[in-house]
Amino acid sequence: MAAAAYDVAVLALKREDAVLNFPGSIKSYPVPASMSALDIRAAATAAATAVAAAATLKTSGSRESTSSVGQQQKEYDDMLSINSSSALASNAGFSAENKLAAF
């Protein structure tokens, strides 16, 4: 979880100089709405939440924990839809193509 959050933050701050923990996950990471610390933190939190939800879904067998994971997934999807708007990404000068160009 922390490694995914780090990846999102370091991509926002260092761009093409970023050294990532999971370079294969770059397309799935949320993009900060701007270069502000608050927006970078929100995107990093969304990435960590998504990793936690995915891990819980893989190991979850009970109906109760699935409900909790479902709520986490909805919250993540809501945050991701806010952060992944192409208008917001272009305002930040940060697009999927820019991220891939670094590799």
Side-chain angles (χ1 to χ4, degrees):
M1 291 181 285
Y6 166 85
D7 281 357
V8 169
V10 78
L11 273 169
L13 298 171
K14 293 191 174 188
R15 301 189 185 247
E16 65 272 354
D17 294 329
V19 176
L20 303 176
N21 292 299
F22 305 110
S25 298
I26 197 167
K27 291 181 181 179
S28 67
Y29 288 145
V31 177
S34 74
M35 292 300 294
S36 76
L38 186 62
D39 287 338
I40 293 171
R41 187 177 304 121
T45 300
T49 301
V51 170
T56 303
L57 282 172
K58 287 181 183 176
T59 60
S60 171
S62 74
R63 186 176 182 97
E64 179 180 315
S65 62
T66 302
S67 172
S68 172
V69 170
Q71 179 62 29
Q72 287 178 347
Q73 185 64 43
K74 182 187 178 319
E75 290 171 6
Y76 168 72
D77 289 342
D78 291 344
M79 288 190 333
L80 187 58
S81 69
I82 291 168
N83 284 330
S84 66
S85 164
S86 60
L88 294 175
S90 65
N91 285 341
F94 206 88
S95 66
E97 292 79 22
N98 290 346
K99 291 192 283 186
L100 290 175
F103 300 100

